C-alpha cells in the first residue's frame, strides 16, 4: 500500500456533504454561546455589569473572569486569561492586552439572543499605554505587557559560530537588506465552531476542530481545575487548520459553560469573528548582512530577527527558534552571528502557521542569496550549489544535520526540471521570450529551503499507536487506534495505508479509531510536518508487536507502542549550540512570473517545485499538498494584506482580505517529487506538508527582480506597493 494513490477514506462523505463538521452537530436541549471581546488594545477592566444581559429573556447565564476556576491558558506559556476582568484571583487577569481578549461569555436559548445579549454587557475600561511596533516595544520606556518579560522580550536566541572579523575580511562582496514580512490569516474553510456537553460517563466533552485532541484536553482541564479523566475532546471532520487551530479558541469556554450548566452548549464563529480572534502568522523585521568570496563561497552571515508576537506568546518562542535557525538558509557558513527576538506588543497574537517561522527566515535568506548571485555575476543555482548543506555539513548551531541530507539533489532536480541546463560544468538559465505587450515583463526566480520534521529544541517528542488484530485462523479485522488529527491533509487515509502495509492485510480490513481522547493515547499535534513520520513509526512498532502476539496465538492480538525519535536539545543561551531537530525535508522552487508594470499585478505563470518526501506514501496527496502550499504561499507573497491599525484589524472579511481564488492560482504547477529515503522515516518517508510553502515568496521576489530589475524586500507585494516602487525606479510610465 506504500506508493498507492488510494482514494481518501473521507472523500465520499465530504463530497456528498454527509460528513459532520463541528458546526453541523446538534444535541437535544442545546444552548448557544457567544463571546464578548475586548473593546480596547490595552486597558484595565475596573467594572463589568452583566445585569442587562442577564435580564434579557432567553439568556441562561453570563460568565465572567470570576467564574473560571484557573483563569489562564497558553500552549507553551500560560500567559493569557481565559476571560479578562475583575474578580479572578489570577494576577493580571483584569487587564486586556489585545482586542482579541475575551471579557465575557453569554449562554442563551438561541444564537440570536446570545448575540444581542453580549452587546448589553457594560464594560468599564481604564486605558493603559499601548505599544504596537515590535522594536518600540523593546525600548526601556515602553509599556510592559507581562511582569516577567522585561522590555517585552519573550525570547532572545543567539548563534555565535566562527570568527566574524575573519569572515568579513575574506569577503569580496557584501550584501545587506532589511526584510519585512506581513501577517497571514489561515483562512481555513470552517471558522471555529464546537459543542460542549456532558457525556454518558459524566465527562465534560467538547466536540471541536483542532490539531491535537490531548492538548486541547489538557488546556481545558487545567482551566477548569478538573482531573484529566473528567474532560474529553472529540474531533469530527476538521475544516482545515494550517497551524491556526493549535491554540485554543472556543474549547475552554464551551467546556466551562457545559460544565457549569450541565447542558449542551454550542457556538459557531462567523468568518469575521474567526479572523479577529485567532492568531496569525508573525510579521517579522529581519536585518541581514552576508559576505562571499568572488568564487561564490559565503564566508560570513549576520542577522537580527524581530518577530511581533502580539499580546500573548502562543507558540512565538518556538516559531522564533525556527526562524533563528533558518534565517541563514540551508547553507554551510563558517562564520555566523544571529540574534532573534520574540516581542510582546498590543497587537493580535501570532503563532503557528504552515512553515512555523521558516518562511520568514527563508524570505530573507534566499533574497540575500539571490542578491549575492547578482553582485557576483553568478547564476543563482550555481552559487547555491557552492554553499548548500551536504552530508556531514555543520549547521550554524555547530552540529551536523541528521543523515539523509538531500538539498543538493533537490536544487539540481528543480533546476533541471525548470529553466536551467547544465553544460561546461556550469548552470545556465534559459529565459522564455518576453511578451509583445511592453507593459508585461516576464522573469524567472529560484529559491530553496529546509524545514524540520517534528518538534524541535528538546521538546519530548512521541506518538502512540495501538493495533488490534481480530479473527481466528486469519486476521479478519485490524483496528488501529491513532489520535493524529486529519485536518484536511489526508492523514487518516495514510494511517490506514501504513497499517495495512505494516500488518500485511488489504486496506478494507483496517478500521481507524481516532480523534477522541477517550479512545486513543496522545499522538502529538498535526503540525511541524510530523504526523506521517511520527504516526508511521508508531504504527509500525505496534504492528510488529501485535503480529508477534498473533504468532503466539493470542486472540485478539493487541499491542500498544510509543515511538520516540532521537532526542533534540535546546539552543545554548550564549552560542546557540544544539542538536535542534531529528529530521528534515528539503525543497527548491523555480518560478516564472509576469509583472504588469502599469498596474503592479504579478501573475505567477509557472512554479516548478522539487520536494524530497523520502517516499510518497500516497503520491496524489503529496501533489495535493504541494499545489495547496504553493497557492497559500502565493497569497502570502503577493495578495494577502491583513491591515492592523493600533492593534485593530481593519479588514476582517474575505471580501477585503484577499486570498487566491481559482483565477489567481499559477497557470501551471509542476511537482517534482523526489524519493530519497530518510533513514529514520517510516518506509523512508519524510514530512513534506510545510516545505513547498517555504521558498515560494523569495522565488517570486527573485522573478520580479529578473523581470523589472527591482528588489522587493517587503511582502505582500500587493499591486499598490509594486506600482509605487516601480515608479520610484522610473518603471511603468509608457
Ligand atoms: Mo504547524 S505551523 O507546525 O501547526
Amino acid at each position: 500500500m506504500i506508493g498507492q494513490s488510494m482514494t481518501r477514506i473521507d472523500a465520499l462523505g465530504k463530497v456528498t456533504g454527509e460528513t459532520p463538521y463541528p458546526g453541523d452537530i446538534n444535541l437535544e436541549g442545546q444552548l448557544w454561546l457567544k463571546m464578548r471581546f475586548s473593546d480596547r488594545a490595552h486597558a484595565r477592566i475596573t467594572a463589568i455589569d452583566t445585569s442587562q444581559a442577564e435580564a434579557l429573556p432567553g439568556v441562561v447565564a453570563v460568565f465572567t473572569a470570576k467564574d473560571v476556576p484557573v483563569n489562564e491558558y497558553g500552549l507553551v506559556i500560560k500567559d493569557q486569561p481565559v476571560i479578562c476582568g475583575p474578580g479572578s484571583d489570577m494576577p493580571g487577569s483584569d487587564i486586556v492586552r489585545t482586542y482579541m481578549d475575551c471579557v465575557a461569555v453569554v449562554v442563551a436559548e438561541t444564537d440570536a439572543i446570545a448575540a444581542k445579549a453580549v452587546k448589553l454587557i457594560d464594560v468599564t475600561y481604564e486605558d493603559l499605554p499601548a505599544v504596537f511596533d515590535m522594536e518600540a516595544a523593546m525600548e526601556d520606556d515602553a509599556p510592559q505587557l507581562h511582569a516577567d518579560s522585561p522590555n517585552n522580550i519573550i525570547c532572545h536566541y543567539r548563534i555565535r559560530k566562527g570568527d566574524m572579523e575573519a569572515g568579513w575580511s575574506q569577503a569580496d562582496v557584501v550584501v545587506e537588506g532589511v526584510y519585512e514580512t506581513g501577517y497571514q490569516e489561515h483562512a481555513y474553510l470552517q471558522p471555529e465552531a464546537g459543542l460542549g456537553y456532558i457525556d454518558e460517563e459524566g465527562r465534560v466533552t467538547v466536540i471541536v476542530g483542532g490539531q491535537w485532541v490531548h492538548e486541547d484536553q489538557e488546556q481545558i482541564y487545567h482551566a477548569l481545575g478538573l482531573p484529566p479523566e473528567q474532560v474529553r475532546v472529540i474531533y469530527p471532520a476538521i475544516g482545515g487548520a494550517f497551524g491556526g487551530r493549535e491554540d485554543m479558541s472556543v474549547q475552554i469556554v464551551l467546556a466551562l459553560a457545559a460544565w457549569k450548566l450541565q447542558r449542551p452548549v454550542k457556538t459557531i464563529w462567523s468568518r469575521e469573528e474567526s479572523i479577529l480572534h485567532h492568531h496569525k502568522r508573525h510579521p517579522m523585521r529581519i536585518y541581514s548582512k552576508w559576505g562571499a568570496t568572488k568564487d561564490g563561497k559565503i564566508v560570513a552571515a549576520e542577522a537580527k530577527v524581530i518577530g511581533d508576537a502580539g499580546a500573548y506568546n502562543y507558540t512565538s518562542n518556538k516559531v522564533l527558534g525556527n526562524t533563528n535557525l533558518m534565517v541563514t538558509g540551508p547553507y554551510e557558513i563558517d562564520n555566523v552571528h544571529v540574534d532573534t527576538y520574540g516581542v510582546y506588543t498590543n497587537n493580535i497574537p501570532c503563532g503557528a502557521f504552515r512553515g512555523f517561522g521558516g518562511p520568514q527566515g527563508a524570505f530573507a535568506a534566499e533574497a540575500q542569496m539571490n542578491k549575492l548571485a547578482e553582485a557576483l555575476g553568478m547564476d543563482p543555482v550555481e552559487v547555491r550549489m557552492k554553499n548548500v548543506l551536504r552530508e556531514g555539513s555543520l549547521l550554524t548551531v555547530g552540529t551536523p544535520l541528521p543523515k539523509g541530507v538531500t538539498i543538493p539533489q533537490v536544487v539540481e532536480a528543480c533546476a533541471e526540471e525548470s529553466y536551467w541546463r547544465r553544460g561546461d560544468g556550469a548552470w545556465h538559465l534559459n529565459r522564455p521570450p518576453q511578451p509583445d505587450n511592453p507593459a508585461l515583463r516576464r522573469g524567472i526566480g529560484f529559491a530553496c529551503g529546509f524545514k524540520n520534521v517534528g518538534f524541535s529544541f528538546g521538546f519530548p517528542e512521541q506518538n502512540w499507536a495501538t493495533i488490534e488484530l481480530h479473527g481466528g485462523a486469519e486476521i479478519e479485522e485490524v483496528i488501529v487506534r491513532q489520535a493524529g488529527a486529519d485536518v484536511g491533509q489526508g492523514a487518516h487515509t495514510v494511517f490506514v495505508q501504513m497499517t495495512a502495509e505494516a500488518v500485511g492485510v488489504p486496506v478494507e480490513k483496517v478500521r481507524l479509531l481516532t480523534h477522541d481522547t477517550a479512545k486513543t493515547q496522545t499522538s502529538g499535534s498535526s503540525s511541524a510536518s510530523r504526523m506521517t513520520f511520527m504516526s508511521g513509526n508508531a504504527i509500525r512498532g505496534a504492528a510488529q508487536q501485535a503480529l508477534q502476539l498473533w504468532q503466539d496465538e493470542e486472540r485478539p492480538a493487541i499491542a500498544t507502542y510509543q515511538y520516540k525519535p532521537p532526542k533534540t536539545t535546546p539552543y545554548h543561551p550564549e552560542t546557540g549550540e544544539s542538536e535542534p531537530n531529528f529530521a528534515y525535508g528539503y525543497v527548491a522552487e523555480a518560478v516564472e512570473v509576469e509583472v504588469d508594470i502599469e498596474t503592479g499585478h504579478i501573475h505567477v505563470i509557472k512554479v516548478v517545485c522539487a520536494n524530497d518526501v523520502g517516499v510518497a506514501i500516497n503520491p496524489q496527496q503529496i501533489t495535493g499538498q504541494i499545489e495547496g502550499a504553493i497557492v497559500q504561499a502565493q497569497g502570502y507573497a503577493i495578495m494577502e494584506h491583513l491591515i492592523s491599525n493600533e492593534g485593530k484589524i481593519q479588514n476582517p472579511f474575505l471580501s477585503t482580505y484577499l486570498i487566491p481564488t481559482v483565477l489567481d492560482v499559477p497557470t501551471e504547477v509542476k511537482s517534482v517529487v523526489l524519493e530519497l529515503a530518510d533513514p529514520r522515516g517510516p518506509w523512508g518517508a519524510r514530512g513534506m506538508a510545510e516545505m513547498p510553502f517555504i521558498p515560494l515568496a523569495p522565488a517570486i521576489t527573485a522573478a520580479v527582480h529578473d523581470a523589472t530589475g527591482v528588489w522587493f524586500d517587503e511582502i505582500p507585494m500587493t499591486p499598490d506597493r509594486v506600482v509605487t516602487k516601480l515608479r520610484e525606479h522610473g518603471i511603468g510610465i509608457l
Side-chain angles (χ1 to χ4, degrees):
M1 282 317 295
I2 303 300
Q4 303 295 313
S5 289
M6 173 185 164
T7 302
R8 282 174 57 150
I9 59 172
D10 53 343
L12 191 64
K14 284 182 175 172
V15 296
T16 59
E18 275 163 32
T19 302
Y21 288 78
D24 300 325
I25 298 167
N26 295 296
L27 287 175
E28 211 166 314
Q30 74 192 12
L31 300 167
W32 288 83
L33 178 148
K34 203 87 185 162
M35 295 163 77
R36 167 72 181 260
F37 294 97
S38 173
D39 307 278
R40 298 285 191 278
H42 200 193
R44 185 183 306 279
I45 299 178
T46 54
I48 181 155
D49 181 357
T50 58
S51 56
Q52 275 195 66
E54 281 161 355
L56 189 73
V59 169
V60 175
V62 180
F63 299 113
T64 59
K66 67 180 184 330
D67 301 303
V68 188
V70 182
N71 193 16
E72 60 171 19
Y73 76 106
L75 199 56
V76 187
I77 304 171
K78 291 186 169 50
D79 60 353
Q80 185 168 13
V82 178
I83 303 177
C84 296
S88 166
D89 53 16
M90 203 55 79
S93 62
D94 55 336
I95 294 171
V96 289
R97 297 170 188 83
T98 161
Y99 287 101
M100 184 172 155
D101 274 320
C102 177
V103 301
V105 170
V106 172
V107 183
E109 297 292 344
T110 68
D111 194 25
I113 296 170
K116 198 168 170 188
V118 286
K119 296 197 185 102
L120 298 175
I121 296 169
D122 191 18
V123 185
T124 310
Y125 297 97
E126 190 183 279
D127 278 322
L128 296 168
V131 62
F132 304 105
D133 178 80
M134 47 188 147
E135 287 185 87
M138 296 165 77
E139 300 289 332
D140 287 338
D141 57 355
Q144 295 292 298
L145 269 73
H146 296 272
D148 47 4
S149 294
N151 296 67
N152 295 307
I153 296 169
I154 303 171
C155 57
H156 174 194
Y157 300 114
R158 296 171 182 85
I159 289 175
R160 304 287 183 265
K161 183 190 182 196
D163 177 344
M164 295 311 293
E165 235 171 271
W168 295 126
S169 72
Q170 291 166 46
D172 298 309
V173 295
V174 172
V175 295
E176 280 187 81
V178 182
Y179 301 93
E180 299 250 5
T181 64
Y183 285 109
Q184 190 179 22
E185 152 63 28
H186 304 78
Y188 24 66
L189 283 174
Q190 184 177 42
E192 289 76 357
L195 187 60
Y197 65 100
I198 309 301
D199 81 352
E200 60 288 350
E201 291 189 29
R203 291 174 286 212
V204 60
T205 303
V206 178
I207 293 176
V208 70
Q211 295 180 229
W212 183 359
V213 276
H214 292 84
E215 175 59 36
D216 289 10
Q217 178 196 30
E218 201 251 292
Q219 297 277 328
I220 294 167
Y221 72 66
H222 178 84
L224 268 55
L226 291 173
E229 60 277 9
Q230 269 294 297
V231 176
R232 179 179 179 188
V233 175
I234 299 170
Y235 297 161
I238 301 161
F242 310 116
R245 296 193 206 270
E246 285 223 314
D247 298 85
M248 297 304 97
S249 55
V250 299
Q251 289 88 336
I252 299 173
V253 290
L254 282 172
L256 177 76
W259 185 243
K260 295 253 180 196
L261 301 171
Q262 295 285 303
R263 285 181 67 179
V265 179
K266 178 169 178 170
T267 195
I268 302 178
W269 279 5
S270 64
R271 179 62 67 180
E272 181 186 6
E273 284 175 303
S274 175
I275 295 179
L276 289 173
H277 304 125
H278 76 251
H279 71 264
K280 307 296 169 230
R281 188 189 297 284
H282 293 78
M284 292 193 198
R285 196 170 296 149
I286 299 176
Y287 300 86
S288 191
K289 180 181 167 190
W290 290 17
T293 61
K294 57 181 177 305
D295 56 356
K297 181 79 191 99
I298 307 166
V299 286
E302 195 177 275
K304 181 176 170 188
V305 179
I306 305 136
D308 184 346
Y312 300 102
N313 182 64
Y314 284 65
T315 46
S316 290
N317 58 344
K318 304 289 175 184
V319 169
L320 271 301
N322 264 8
T323 313
N324 191 51
L325 185 68
M326 291 168 191
V327 73
T328 44
Y331 307 114
E332 183 162 32
I333 310 172
D334 288 339
N335 307 296
V336 181
H337 185 118
V338 182
D339 287 279
T340 297
Y341 301 88
V343 181
Y344 284 126
T345 66
N346 294 107
N347 293 320
I348 188 167
C350 291
F353 196 150
R354 197 178 205 164
F356 206 77
Q360 295 96 327
F363 181 66
E366 294 304 288
Q368 285 289 103
M369 200 60 176
N370 287 321
K371 289 178 186 179
L372 267 185
E374 185 192 33
L376 292 161
M378 281 179 78
D379 180 86
V381 173
E382 191 74 33
V383 71
R384 281 179 173 79
M385 290 308 295
K386 287 187 191 288
N387 292 282
V388 283
L389 294 162
R390 293 166 191 274
E391 210 74 78
S393 295
L394 296 186
L395 287 164
T396 55
V397 293
T399 54
L401 289 143
K403 288 209 166 35
V405 180
T406 61
I407 184 76
Q409 295 95 309
V410 166
V411 167
E412 291 191 342
C414 183
E416 271 166 3
E417 296 284 336
S418 62
Y419 303 93
W420 278 262
R421 69 181 166 78
R422 207 193 318 222
D424 316 323
W427 289 93
H428 307 279
L429 172 59
N430 291 328
R431 279 195 188 73
Q434 290 292 333
D436 292 336
N437 182 346
L440 302 177
R441 305 241 181 117
R442 286 201 184 189
I444 307 292
F446 193 94
C448 62
F450 67 145
K451 172 70 184 51
N452 57 296
V453 177
F455 299 145
S456 314
F457 306 117
F459 190 93
E461 256 292 25
Q462 53 80 52
N463 183 297
W464 287 92
T466 295
I467 300 269
E468 303 178 11
L469 307 178
H470 295 267
E474 261 184 48
I475 297 171
E476 281 153 29
E477 187 184 38
V478 179
I479 294 174
V480 54
R481 292 174 192 262
Q482 166 54 246
D486 192 328
V487 292
Q489 83 279 43
H492 288 176
T493 303
V494 168
F495 296 167
V496 168
Q497 285 182 260
M498 294 191 297
T499 303
E501 181 78 16
V503 177
V505 295
V507 286
E508 292 72 28
K509 288 196 178 178
V510 178
R511 188 153 66 91
L512 173 69
L513 294 181
T514 186
H515 280 180
D516 186 344
T517 56
K519 293 183 182 163
T520 56
Q521 285 175 273
T522 186
S523 59
S525 148
S526 270
S527 65
S529 299
R530 66 186 280 289
M531 197 45 89
T532 300
F533 187 105
M534 296 294 296
S535 64
N537 278 320
I539 285 169
R540 260 203 333 187
Q544 251 165 29
Q545 292 184 1
L547 284 169
Q548 187 57 52
L549 295 172
W550 183 266
Q551 293 293 322
D552 301 342
E553 307 285 330
E554 272 202 38
R555 301 289 184 273
I558 301 174
T560 295
Y561 184 84
Q562 184 190 30
Y563 172 67
K564 284 186 175 180
K567 283 195 169 53
T568 60
T569 61
Y571 285 123
H572 183 284
E574 300 304 325
T575 65
E577 271 190 36
S578 54
E579 293 201 47
N581 296 295
F582 58 85
Y584 289 85
Y586 302 97
V587 63
E589 286 171 348
V591 173
E592 180 179 355
V593 302
E594 190 169 83
V595 183
D596 186 323
I597 59 169
E598 288 185 303
T599 67
H601 282 86
I602 297 166
H603 177 57
V604 180
I605 295 173
K606 183 172 173 178
V607 178
V608 177
C609 173
N611 192 356
D612 178 15
V613 306
V615 65
I617 290 176
N618 186 316
Q620 190 176 34
Q621 291 193 177
I622 295 275
T623 50
Q625 285 286 332
I626 291 173
E627 290 168 12
I630 284 168
V631 170
Q632 200 168 38
Q634 183 190 329
Y636 180 54
I638 66 178
M639 292 181 71
E640 300 183 29
H641 193 191
L642 195 74
I643 299 164
S644 177
N645 181 15
E646 304 212 316
K648 188 157 204 174
I649 289 170
Q650 304 296 302
N651 51 340
F653 304 99
L654 294 178
S655 55
T656 49
Y657 176 81
L658 303 181
I659 66 171
T661 70
V662 70
L663 295 177
D664 302 299
V665 302
T667 311
E668 186 187 349
V669 173
K670 183 172 171 186
S671 298
V672 180
V673 178
L674 302 182
E675 296 185 284
L676 306 167
D678 183 312
R680 290 166 174 166
W683 298 278
R686 296 169 188 270
M688 59 73 56
E690 296 169 293
M691 291 65 176
F693 191 105
I694 289 182
L696 191 79
I700 291 177
T701 54
V704 170
H705 174 261
D706 191 47
T708 65
V710 178
W711 287 112
F712 286 81
D713 293 341
E714 185 179 11
I715 49 171
M717 289 180 278
T718 49
D720 55 320
R721 285 177 170 174
V722 172
V723 161
T724 303
K725 187 129 199 193
L726 290 180
R727 296 294 180 275
E728 283 168 18
H729 286 78
I731 297 168
I733 302 135
L734 294 176

